[in-house]
Amino acid sequence: MTKLPILLILFLMVFTANAQQELPKFPRVTIEDLKSTIYQKDSTAEAYVMTNYGNGWVSQNSAGGYDITYQYFVRIKVLKKKAFKRATQSIYLYTDNNRQNAETVTEVKGRTYNFINEAMEIDELEKKDIFEAQYSKTFDKVSFTLPKVKEGSIIEYSYIIRSPFLIKPKDWDFQLDIPCERSEYVFGSPTNFAYRMLMQYCHGKLSEDKCDVFNDFRTCRWLMSDIPAFKKEKYVADIDDYTRKLHFELAEYFVRGMSAPKKLSMEWSDFDRLLLTDEDLGGRIGKISAFEVPAQNLKQQITDSLELAKEVYKYIQSNFTWDNKKELFATHSLKEVFNQKVGSSAELNLLLISLLKQVGIAAHPVVISTRENGRIWKDYPMISRFNYTLVHLNIKGQNILLDVTDKNLQWGLLPEYCMVGEGRLLVHRKSTWVPIRTPEKSGKKINMSFTFSKKAPELESQITYSGTGYQAINYRKELKTLGKEKLSEKFRKAFPSVENSKVEFDGFSDTETNLLPMILITGTHTEGYNLVNGKVYLRTIPFEGTTEHPFPNVDRQFPVDLIYPREEVITCSYTIPEGYTIAELPKGIRVVLPEDGGRFFFSVTQNQATNEVYITSQILLKKSIYHADEYEAIRALYNHIVVKHNEMIVLQKQSK
């Protein structure tokens, strides 16, 4: 739930904006454009944007109020079949909860250019191929598919959106998931509307960035050329946080009859005070009379503040259910939530704060932006950038963050989607930024043992998974969500070469979450080794190894976000059959990241007494986030891991 001021005063303004509504004259599509089969600046591109143009302006409507009109034009060159999906486009139109105010779209046009029989053919988008539907409570959707698209086609489309929502104009994305030759955006408003424009930086430089004022109307223009595609990479919370784009917000306005401009943008002190007093956030925190008896009993039984806080946490975790809604604000009273025993994330966490205060423990809300919601912009406070409320308390000098939505979580652990780096701690006159860290890492241990069977190249196999910290939580969640049968099938599918596999579970008690969950898979590995010229070749890490590099790109402009510190230990043993000796063993290695940020340890040893070979691989990453200047080191670490996990043990058949 996002709270924004309602600018009724804007509809009393008397102003007429003389804004250009005709599209600029773009270059004509040529035969040479249609004949081209590759984008010279990126030969791997499936398509590229030839022109991406947008124009937004605030103007007076026929009813005397004000709207923002958005005009868009896009032209794309299709190079490969997998880009055909780009011929289908969807326009999402926002409407308020009561559907009293809504965005509308008009003038939807499109065409496809093809080179056929040594000539250019043009096919227009027909009205019957434009579809409108309600997408959700707050969005309508208009979709269309351009006709006759094939490899080499050029497609273009344009449309106009009119919006009554003046406070937060639409963003403009310069960088897309395919390369873009030219991206241009124009935004205009009367000078008594002051819009703040924030540029999110990443690759490339603007070739034009200027604003002009004429007849009390401010027009700004931005132009960028030859923009590379953003490439999805592993270990990033939201790739959209690291693309080149423009954000807008209405910061101030001034109209006739006002003695001074009305400021809408806030300082952080204003932001803190607003949320602490808001009736749906800080204002909800209060005494719950129905909890008074349990509170008195707990205080009499437990004198240690930390243990008392844990009991209150367990009380809510055991007796209340999350409705799966991630919210910043509460929509129901905490008394109602207490009685119904169900609530949103905000309601349950605000209830936890209230009950902690009721037993005499100071607790405060922390507001964050979840991983999928994007980064917080610390330069300017914007409520719309926050979407979740956590709980903070300080006991015995220890800062503790809590979230009570997930019954699988232990004390002090947060859901993965809450691991976002920083949050805003709301305390009267003492609000500040606090790091969002976890005291726990994700620990994964895999133990494998293999024995040669009588039938080549089969190995009798036993594979055991176990987890600690977040990995244990994830195992438990999977079992509760899928059930034993479906989770067993998932593990069987993960090992297609293991026949007659049997899956067993241990340590998954609902009541004893401190137990170590374990999954055991046994069966016959039918592709256990390669036999070449009397030599047996065994993979050092036959399953679950890092055989492909997770960081293939040489450079990375944004952090490696692992969510939490991680440790993976893989041990593997081979029982060598009679009649064979070891011809070759890989060498061990130990690699350490700078400032002891992590390490990789790998060893291969032989036990001659038992005729076994043991392989140990340990990957320890001590940080949850590695910044861009650490990327080279962590990438080099994985260079070694990939090599070692792909190496072979060689056995030689003994001569008689």
Side-chain angles (χ1 to χ4, degrees):
M1 176 181 173
T2 301
K3 293 211 164 186
L4 294 171
I6 301 172
L7 301 183
L8 297 177
I9 190 68
L10 295 175
F11 294 94
L12 302 177
M13 296 175 63
V14 181
F15 182 85
T16 300
N18 184 16
Q20 178 72 26
Q21 295 196 27
E22 293 294 326
L23 282 169
K25 299 297 182 182
F26 299 109
R28 291 179 177 273
V29 174
T30 66
I31 295 294
E32 287 70 26
D33 293 330
L34 289 170
K35 284 183 176 180
S36 67
T37 59
I38 194 171
Y39 183 53
Q40 296 297 331
K41 298 181 178 69
D42 183 356
S43 60
T44 65
E46 66 180 50
Y48 66 94
V49 177
M50 302 172 72
T51 299
N52 192 19
Y53 173 82
N55 184 7
W57 66 89
V58 178
S59 61
Q60 193 172 33
N61 58 37
S62 58
Y66 285 81
D67 294 327
I68 301 183
T69 303
Y70 302 95
Q71 186 179 43
Y72 298 104
F73 174 86
V74 182
R75 181 180 288 167
I76 299 173
K77 171 69 177 183
V78 176
L79 298 169
K80 300 177 182 179
K81 285 184 178 179
K82 61 182 180 179
F84 288 0
K85 61 182 180 290
R86 298 182 186 277
T88 298
Q89 296 292 326
S90 295
I91 305 164
Y92 294 91
L93 305 168
Y94 182 73
T95 177
D96 60 22
N97 288 327
N98 298 320
R99 304 189 74 83
Q100 297 296 313
N101 298 296
E103 295 178 334
T104 59
V105 64
T106 58
E107 313 240 0
V108 179
K109 300 176 182 178
R111 55 174 51 177
T112 303
Y113 300 84
N114 282 310
F115 184 60
I116 299 175
N117 297 327
E118 299 302 313
M120 182 188 300
E121 288 191 4
I122 303 174
D123 292 280
E124 301 283 347
L125 174 67
E126 297 184 17
K127 287 187 177 181
K128 67 180 180 63
D129 295 322
I130 302 172
F131 303 96
E132 300 180 12
Q134 183 175 332
Y135 180 73
S136 67
K137 289 183 179 179
T138 53
F139 280 96
D140 294 328
K141 183 171 76 168
V142 176
S143 302
F144 58 87
T145 299
L146 296 166
K148 298 183 180 180
V149 175
K150 63 179 186 176
E151 290 183 46
S153 296
I154 290 175
I155 57 176
E156 65 181 35
Y157 53 90
S158 61
Y159 53 90
I160 292 174
I161 292 176
R162 287 185 173 84
S163 173
F165 305 109
L166 301 169
I167 297 172
K168 179 67 182 71
K170 297 181 185 298
D171 294 343
W172 178 255
D173 294 292
F174 289 99
Q175 194 172 24
L176 308 169
D177 62 343
I178 55 176
C180 182
E181 281 193 316
R182 177 186 172 89
S183 182
E184 179 182 1
Y185 193 65
V186 181
F187 185 81
S189 65
T191 51
N192 51 345
F193 283 74
Y195 280 94
R196 178 181 287 155
M197 292 162 279
L198 308 174
M199 176 65 76
Q200 183 170 286
Y201 290 97
C202 196
H203 297 286
K205 294 182 179 180
L206 292 169
S207 51
E208 189 169 336
D209 179 1
K210 67 176 183 179
C211 294
D212 297 305
V213 177
F214 180 72
N215 284 346
D216 294 327
F217 195 85
R218 179 183 291 105
T219 302
C220 298
R221 181 173 180 265
W222 300 268
L223 178 64
M224 195 172 180
S225 302
D226 298 328
I227 310 158
F230 71 76
K231 296 181 179 179
K232 292 184 178 180
E233 298 194 42
K234 290 184 176 181
Y235 305 117
V236 56
D238 186 354
I239 190 66
D240 193 53
D241 284 338
Y242 303 101
T243 61
R244 182 76 117 152
K245 63 165 36 181
L246 270 167
H247 305 281
F248 300 86
E249 68 163 345
L250 184 58
E252 182 179 298
Y253 69 93
F254 180 75
V255 296
R256 187 184 307 163
M258 294 174 61
S259 59
K262 172 66 175 178
K263 292 185 177 181
L264 300 177
S265 59
M266 298 177 286
E267 301 297 330
W268 282 110
S269 57
D270 302 320
F271 173 92
D272 302 332
R273 184 168 55 253
L274 178 64
L275 293 190
L276 279 169
T277 58
D278 191 286
E279 63 179 11
D280 293 331
L281 206 153
R284 285 284 165 109
I285 299 169
K287 186 176 181 180
I288 306 296
S289 58
F291 184 68
E292 191 59 31
V293 173
Q296 291 299 327
N297 290 337
L298 285 172
K299 286 191 291 185
Q300 290 174 3
Q301 294 171 12
I302 305 171
T303 57
D304 181 85
S305 58
L306 180 58
E307 293 305 314
L308 181 58
K310 288 182 179 181
E311 283 302 314
V312 175
Y313 176 81
K314 288 179 184 177
Y315 174 81
I316 296 183
Q317 197 177 39
S318 301
N319 293 284
F320 294 82
T321 301
W322 179 39
D323 63 7
N324 291 316
K325 293 179 181 178
K326 300 176 184 177
E327 301 287 356
L328 176 67
F329 295 99
T331 55
H332 301 90
S333 71
L334 296 190
K335 179 180 179 181
E336 184 179 353
V337 173
F338 189 90
N339 291 333
Q340 297 294 328
K341 299 293 185 284
V342 64
S344 69
S345 61
E347 290 162 351
L348 294 186
N349 285 330
L350 290 173
L351 181 63
L352 175 59
I353 293 172
S354 297
L355 300 192
L356 285 168
K357 286 178 175 288
Q358 206 160 333
V359 298
I361 296 174
H364 304 278
V366 172
V367 292
I368 65 168
S369 173
T370 56
R371 293 177 67 81
E372 69 275 12
N373 195 56
R375 290 186 299 173
I376 295 168
W377 303 321
K378 292 177 66 175
D379 291 340
Y380 302 103
M382 295 175 65
I383 293 176
S384 61
R385 297 303 298 172
F386 294 82
N387 72 327
Y388 203 88
T389 299
L390 295 172
V391 179
H392 174 275
L393 55 158
N394 184 291
I395 297 180
K396 301 177 181 179
Q398 179 184 3
N399 288 311
I400 302 166
L401 289 169
L402 299 172
D403 178 273
V404 79
T405 59
D406 191 337
K407 295 183 184 298
N408 294 292
L409 290 178
Q410 298 174 3
W411 170 265
L413 299 187
L414 299 177
E416 290 186 4
Y417 55 80
C418 291
M419 301 302 296
V420 291
E422 280 187 306
R424 186 73 177 173
L425 171 61
L426 302 177
V427 183
H428 183 60
R429 294 184 179 178
K430 294 181 181 180
S431 296
T432 186
W433 292 100
V434 292
I436 308 295
R437 298 197 184 106
T438 172
E440 186 64 82
K441 64 185 176 185
S442 174
K444 185 177 184 179
K445 186 173 183 180
I446 306 167
N447 181 269
M448 297 177 276
S449 61
F450 302 97
T451 303
F452 283 74
S453 70
K454 294 179 180 180
K455 184 179 178 182
E458 293 182 350
L459 296 174
E460 297 303 324
S461 310
Q462 180 172 298
I463 305 163
T464 304
Y465 288 81
S466 59
T468 59
Y470 277 94
Q471 184 61 59
I473 292 168
N474 290 336
Y475 282 150
R476 293 183 188 281
K477 280 184 178 180
E478 275 198 303
L479 186 62
K480 285 185 178 180
T481 302
L482 299 176
K484 286 188 177 182
E485 187 173 333
K486 288 185 177 180
L487 187 56
S488 297
E489 185 61 25
K490 178 182 175 180
F491 274 98
R492 289 190 189 97
K493 287 182 178 179
F495 300 99
S497 63
V498 178
E499 291 187 350
N500 303 317
S501 57
K502 181 181 178 183
V503 182
E504 299 177 77
F505 300 92
D506 188 32
F508 282 85
S509 169
D510 288 334
T511 57
E512 298 179 71
T513 56
N514 290 325
L515 291 175
L516 190 69
M518 299 180 68
I519 301 130
L520 173 65
I521 303 102
T522 54
T524 302
H525 182 17
T526 58
E527 301 171 9
Y529 58 90
N530 293 322
L531 182 61
V532 181
N533 297 327
K535 290 184 177 180
V536 171
Y537 292 84
L538 300 165
R539 284 273 296 275
T540 54
I541 309 291
F543 298 116
E544 293 287 356
T546 306
T547 55
E548 293 185 6
H549 208 302
F551 307 111
N553 296 327
V554 176
D555 298 311
R556 180 162 167 148
Q557 303 297 319
F558 45 87
V560 174
D561 187 339
L562 303 175
I563 307 178
Y564 31 62
R566 302 182 180 218
E567 182 178 23
E568 177 192 81
V569 178
I570 301 176
T571 58
C572 178
S573 66
Y574 287 102
T575 301
I576 302 170
E578 292 185 9
Y580 282 86
T581 59
I582 295 174
E584 185 178 334
L585 287 181
K587 294 181 179 179
I589 191 173
R590 187 175 188 271
V591 184
V592 180
L593 288 174
E595 300 180 1
D596 195 30
R599 64 175 179 266
F600 170 54
F601 171 78
F602 183 86
S603 70
V604 183
T605 58
Q606 178 185 8
N607 186 329
Q608 293 182 341
T610 59
N611 212 26
E612 290 180 303
V613 175
Y614 297 102
I615 304 100
T616 300
S617 168
Q618 183 203 38
I619 303 169
L620 177 60
L621 300 172
K622 295 184 177 182
K623 299 181 181 181
S624 56
I625 295 177
Y626 292 85
H627 296 288
D629 58 358
E630 300 174 287
Y631 178 69
E632 185 178 350
I634 195 169
R635 185 172 183 271
L637 181 82
Y638 272 91
N639 287 340
H640 293 289
I641 294 170
V642 172
V643 168
K644 289 299 175 183
H645 283 197
N646 278 298
E647 285 187 330
M648 294 284 185
I649 298 166
V650 183
L651 307 181
Q652 175 71 57
K653 191 172 181 63
Q654 294 175 333
S655 57
K656 295 181 181 180

